[in-house]
Amino acid sequence: MARKMFFGSRMADPFAEAAEWITAHDVRVLDTAWENAPAGEEFSCVLSVYFVFEDDEED
């Protein structure tokens, strides 16, 4: 399992970045987490996406 973090100053920014990244990569999303950074931070919204790389082999 891996984690990729997406940052933004508006709530919609990390979601848009994550959607674009997921579309461009062959991954299966397992979970997500949302955090609001402390006031005064440049990027106040953080979306973490937990994923695995898709494998061509069947389980």
Side-chain angles (χ1 to χ4, degrees), residues 19-56:
E20 184 177 325
W21 185 84
I22 291 166
T23 301
H25 295 85
D26 192 17
V27 298
R28 181 167 44 109
V29 175
L30 301 174
D31 200 3
T32 60
W34 180 260
E35 296 178 54
N36 290 315
E41 293 291 326
E42 179 182 359
F43 298 113
S44 58
C45 304
V46 182
L47 175 66
S48 294
V49 175
Y50 298 88
F51 64 94
V52 293
F53 292 99
E54 288 289 1
D55 192 356
D56 290 339

